[in-house]
Amino acid sequence: MRVLMLKQKIIVAVALSLTAGCAIQPTGPGDSADRRGKVPEAVIAMAAPDQDVATARLVPEDGCYWYEHSGPVETTLLPLRTANGNRICTPRET
C-alpha cells in the first residue's frame, strides 16, 4: 500500500513538472516585444502579402519583425518576410 502511494506521488510530481514548462510567460505593458502596430511604413511596404502586419512587432532578441499567424488550433509568431522570402530585420551594429 505504501509503495502504491509513493508511485502515485511520483507520477503527480512528474506530470506537474512536465506541464509547468507549457505555461506562457506574461509580458508587461512596457515589453517591447508586445508593441503591436508600431511597424514603420517601409517595413509594411516590404512585407509579402498574406501576412498580418497589424500584429507585427520588432523582437529585440534577434532584431527581426515577427507577426501573429492565427491557425486552426493556435496562434504562432512567424517571421515577417519579403515577397522573395527573406526575413525583415533591422541592420545590425558592427
Side-chain angles (χ1 to χ4, degrees), residues 54-76:
T55 63
R57 67 193 81 168
L58 179 64
V59 176
E61 289 80 18
D62 65 357
C64 295
Y65 287 91
W66 293 70
Y67 74 99
E68 291 182 3
H69 171 74
S70 296
V73 177
E74 64 184 3
T75 300
T76 307

Side-chain angles (χ1 to χ4, degrees), residues 1 10-13 16 18 20 24 34-35 38-39 41 43 46 54 61-62 64-65 67-68 70 77 79-80 90:
M1 184 70 151
I10 291 173
I11 289 172
V12 169
L16 286 175
L18 290 175
I24 297 173
D34 195 32
R35 293 185 190 157
K38 306 288 188 212
V39 179
E41 291 295 323
V43 171
M46 288 190 311
E61 289 80 18
D62 65 357
C64 295
Y65 287 91
Y67 74 99
E68 291 182 3
S70 296
L77 278 178
L80 196 62
T90 57

